[in-house]
Amino acid sequence: MSAQSSPAHQASEAFDVVIVGAGFAGMYMLHRLRGLGLSARVYEQGGGVGGTWYWNRYPGARCDVESMQYSYSFSDELQQEWDWSERYAPQPEILKYANHVADRFDLRRDIQFDTSVDRAEFDERSNAWSVTTSDGRTVSANFVVLATGCLSNARKPDIKGLDRFKGPVYHTGNWPHEPVDFTGLRVGIIGTGSSGIQSVPVIAEQAKHLTVFQRTPNYSIPAHNAALTPAERQKFRDNYPEIRRFARWEARNGIYTDLPDRGALDDGDSERRAKYEARWARGGLTFMSVYNNLGLDKAANDTAASFVREKIAETVKDPATAKLLQPTTYPIGTKRICIDTDYFDTFNRPNVSLVDIKASPIEEITENAVRVAGHDHEIDTLVLATGFDAMTGSVARIDIRGRAGRTLNQKWAEGPKTYLGLMSAGFPNLFIITGPGSPSVLSNMIVSIEQHVDWIADCLVHMREQGLATMEADVSAEEKWVAHVNEVAHGTLYPQANSWYMGANIPGKPRIFMPYIGGVGAYRQICNDVAAKGYEGFVLGRAAQPRRAAS
Ligand code: NA7
């Protein structure tokens, strides 16, 4: 499947595949393509591998999925040899793991760092993509794989006066590589999502004073993080075949845990409370797996939400602060639940204060303060934990032009449309890993990444064996899939929250529930069935007579 001679190819280097991004998705994609004998070039805008773990270096950054599960499964040697230190590894260790993988599989020689892809244009005559990078070069590729990540486009809020602030401003999603020392400083932090909740307790320990500006409180479950013992690690290693199988097929979110056999209202009050207590004591994301209907039934959900609110009230000594920290405006779990270490307890410290910016939004940021309700909260340093233009943001930054020069941004102006989250009609030979319309951010990302990469790799083998030059989503299959994704989402409580799943955190972004909530196992089966039926719903074209997708 080497690149054919064409005008697009003559002017530049040619690859079978260009991969955008060297995070966990891009690295594994490269590894698989090498194994198939395909040529690939990865472009990575950062100075190293790791994607989200390269950028999110803020204090307290950790994955919310346990390390033994948030790790590649494709190599048994790798999963047997790597020693995770803690139940939830800190960001530096996850980054170290990413670097280890890059070295172990000799990936770096095909990755060009410090280079972003600015433009990708499909040439209908040669059936190839012309890819232009930030170093001003253009290469061609038969296929482009967007491994750009779902939470990669850090978003600076549009707050009046932000640029006037005289002190340093940090975004959690774009944190400096040098350690930031808050000792003796008055620090302000805007945002109480997962990044805010992880960093607040750590910053509070250093800062002279920390002021937390909260718009919406979040449900957070204790991590109960701890060092992993050799015996705990070995138990996982011995059981990896079953743990990985279960994560792929049985657990809707790709995380191994015991699954519920009933709904929350099937138990009496005391039994239910005991189960919540046990899950709270265990800690972590699987809190939501205690019952099978917490994401479906509001009355069931209320029981879990009330339990967490009670825990907050028990922990936070000042009743007014506790009340502000209790989420009430959306069902628990409909925004990604947060996993914390001492977050609520941090508000008992004398050097931490909470400011409600829901009731009174930030009026402006001055040279040395955040002004709320006419009061200046003086600070020396500002931390923005304000999140990302999720799922579509990093794709939207690239000028992607498909058939007839139509851009992906034009096509997605009313919300992203894909078939299986893998391809978008009108954009042949362009794959997306964990894109909108796939389980993606609702799951253990590495489970979903590996499934997509393997599916794409198999697909490329099929195309090579069949002598196919193009593949793209059929418009009607795409429409049906988008409708299905929507229908499944609206059968749950998820759309009730103004979450980044819905695009609700970005002013003007279309409100569409982006990830597929049908569960990773059901989704995997659908993808496998599609492949088994000769890639049903995709239009496959030969080089001589490329076919157009029906439109
Ligand atoms: P999130 O979860 O999007 O959280 C962002 C936070 O910032 C959230 O509390 C927002 O309040 C707040 N925010 C955003 N814009 C503003 C403005 N303009 N003014 C005030 N407050 C604002 O991002 P994270 O980085 O914490 O986490 C993202 C994911 O990474 C997380 O779900 C995990 O999967 C890992 P809001 O809730 O919109 O009222």
Side-chain angles (χ1 to χ4, degrees):
M1 204 194 279
S2 61
Q4 309 126 27
S5 179
S6 70
H9 290 82
Q10 281 159 13
S12 58
E13 279 181 279
F15 302 96
D16 290 321
V17 186
V18 157
I19 300 167
V20 190
F24 282 105
M27 286 200 294
Y28 181 43
M29 190 77 246
L30 173 61
H31 177 65
R32 283 300 318 268
L33 294 176
R34 287 233 190 106
L36 299 175
L38 296 172
S39 64
R41 162 71 56 83
V42 183
Y43 293 105
E44 165 55 55
Q45 63 179 345
V49 297
T52 198
W53 302 107
Y54 177 86
W55 299 104
N56 283 268
R57 297 165 184 250
Y58 59 85
R62 286 172 199 278
C63 186
D64 58 8
V65 176
E66 295 185 25
S67 317
M68 294 301 293
Q69 300 203 52
Y70 188 81
S71 52
Y72 285 122
S73 70
F74 71 83
S75 160
D76 192 46
E77 294 80 13
L78 176 65
Q79 67 185 7
Q80 294 296 335
E81 79 196 5
W82 181 263
D83 276 340
W84 290 108
S85 66
E86 295 175 39
R87 184 176 174 192
Y88 299 94
Q91 171 271 335
E93 188 174 339
I94 304 175
L95 188 59
K96 202 169 145 199
Y97 171 75
N99 277 289
H100 170 75
V101 171
D103 293 336
R104 194 186 194 289
F105 298 97
D106 187 23
L107 299 178
R108 289 178 210 280
R109 65 187 154 87
D110 289 320
I111 306 174
Q112 185 173 323
F113 293 104
D114 298 308
T115 311
S116 56
V117 169
D118 293 341
R119 185 181 162 102
E121 186 170 11
F122 186 69
D123 177 355
E124 298 194 53
R125 283 161 306 158
S126 61
N127 288 328
W129 285 89
S130 183
V131 178
T132 306
T133 47
S134 54
D135 58 359
R137 298 173 63 159
T138 298
V139 300
S140 76
N142 293 332
F143 298 90
V144 171
V145 177
L146 299 174
T148 40
C150 294
L151 296 162
S152 325
N153 193 350
R155 201 180 69 89
K156 230 174 149 182
D158 191 12
I159 300 176
K160 188 178 161 196
L162 182 54
D163 293 338
R164 270 175 51 210
F165 184 68
K166 282 272 193 287
V169 178
Y170 306 101
H171 194 294
T172 48
N174 195 0
W175 200 262
H177 287 210
E178 314 72 51
V180 176
D181 186 5
F182 293 110
T183 308
L185 298 177
R186 297 166 303 174
V187 182
I189 181 167
I190 302 175
T192 51
S194 181
S195 306
I197 282 178
Q198 288 186 335
S199 54
V200 158
V202 184
I203 297 174
E205 285 195 355
Q206 262 189 8
K208 183 172 167 200
H209 192 89
L210 175 64
T211 309
V212 181
F213 297 92
Q214 172 190 273
R215 192 162 65 182
T216 313
N218 252 299
Y219 296 96
S220 189
I221 309 295
H224 296 312
N225 190 33
L228 280 170
T229 64
E232 282 169 331
R233 277 197 294 264
Q234 198 51 46
K235 194 170 165 207
F236 259 97
R237 286 178 177 149
D238 292 345
N239 293 297
Y240 257 139
E242 172 56 14
I243 288 168
R244 301 302 198 183
R245 185 202 65 77
F246 189 96
R248 288 180 196 131
W249 289 103
E250 312 282 339
R252 295 173 64 84
N253 60 4
I255 299 173
Y256 179 79
T257 190
D258 39 340
L259 292 182
D261 62 353
R262 67 189 70 189
L265 305 178
D266 296 332
D267 279 337
D269 284 353
S270 61
E271 206 170 341
R272 191 167 51 236
R273 177 147 199 111
K275 285 188 183 169
Y276 286 144
E277 288 286 2
R279 289 277 174 154
W280 185 266
R282 190 198 292 183
L285 278 180
T286 60
F287 180 83
M288 290 302 289
S289 307
V290 63
Y291 290 115
N292 60 22
N293 61 348
L294 295 183
L296 301 171
D297 178 330
K298 182 66 170 50
N301 186 287
D302 283 345
T303 63
S306 306
F307 176 85
V308 174
R309 282 193 290 266
E310 280 172 35
K311 287 290 180 194
I312 296 170
E314 276 171 24
T315 309
V316 180
K317 297 200 173 85
D318 173 49
T321 305
K323 192 157 194 311
L324 271 182
L325 288 167
Q326 289 174 323
T328 53
T329 54
Y330 59 96
I332 185 170
T334 55
K335 289 184 176 197
R336 188 163 173 126
I337 216 154
C338 299
I339 305 302
D340 73 275
T341 298
D342 298 333
Y343 175 66
F344 295 115
D345 198 33
T346 298
F347 291 91
N348 295 325
R349 295 176 67 107
N351 69 332
V352 175
S353 46
L354 181 66
V355 176
D356 178 11
I357 54 169
K358 180 75 126 202
S360 308
I362 295 172
E363 285 163 32
E364 66 178 307
I365 295 176
T366 68
E367 288 183 359
N368 65 345
V370 178
R371 185 171 297 155
V372 179
H375 176 77
D376 278 3
H377 299 269
E378 288 192 9
I379 53 170
D380 305 303
T381 298
L382 181 61
V383 174
L384 302 172
T386 44
F388 303 86
D389 184 354
M391 300 206 76
T392 55
S394 50
V395 174
R397 278 203 289 216
I398 308 170
D399 181 10
I400 298 172
R401 290 166 189 263
R403 289 206 189 276
R406 191 176 185 211
T407 70
L408 193 62
N409 283 335
Q410 285 165 344
K411 182 178 170 189
W412 286 7
E414 304 301 317
K417 283 189 172 181
T418 67
Y419 178 41
L420 300 174
L422 280 159
M423 289 192 121
S424 191
F427 297 83
N429 296 4
L430 178 78
F431 292 101
I432 312 166
I433 298 181
T434 63
S438 73
S440 179
V441 289
L442 293 174
S443 69
N444 176 351
M445 283 301 277
I446 297 194
V447 171
S448 289
I449 283 169
E450 288 190 328
Q451 183 248 333
H452 265 185
V453 168
D454 288 338
W455 192 93
I456 292 168
D458 290 348
C459 172
L460 295 182
V461 170
H462 174 81
M463 291 183 74
R464 178 165 64 183
E465 286 171 352
Q466 300 296 316
L468 298 165
T470 59
M471 168 162 179
E472 65 187 290
D474 172 72
V475 173
S476 62
E478 179 170 288
E479 290 296 339
K480 271 192 215 146
W481 182 252
V482 169
H484 175 63
V485 170
N486 213 27
E487 189 189 323
V488 179
H490 284 273
T492 73
L493 302 175
Y494 277 76
Q496 293 187 20
N498 288 325
S499 65
W500 54 258
Y501 298 140
M502 294 286 292
N505 63 328
I506 305 292
K509 190 167 172 173
R511 300 262 175 135
I512 287 181
F513 193 80
M514 292 185 282
Y516 178 55
I517 205 169
V520 295
Y523 173 78
R524 182 181 290 264
Q525 189 63 56
I526 293 168
C527 291
N528 288 356
D529 290 347
V530 163
K533 289 180 190 158
Y535 294 91
E536 188 179 51
F538 290 97
V539 181
L540 303 164
R542 286 178 196 283
Q545 328 86 342
R547 283 170 52 196
R548 282 171 183 276
S551 60

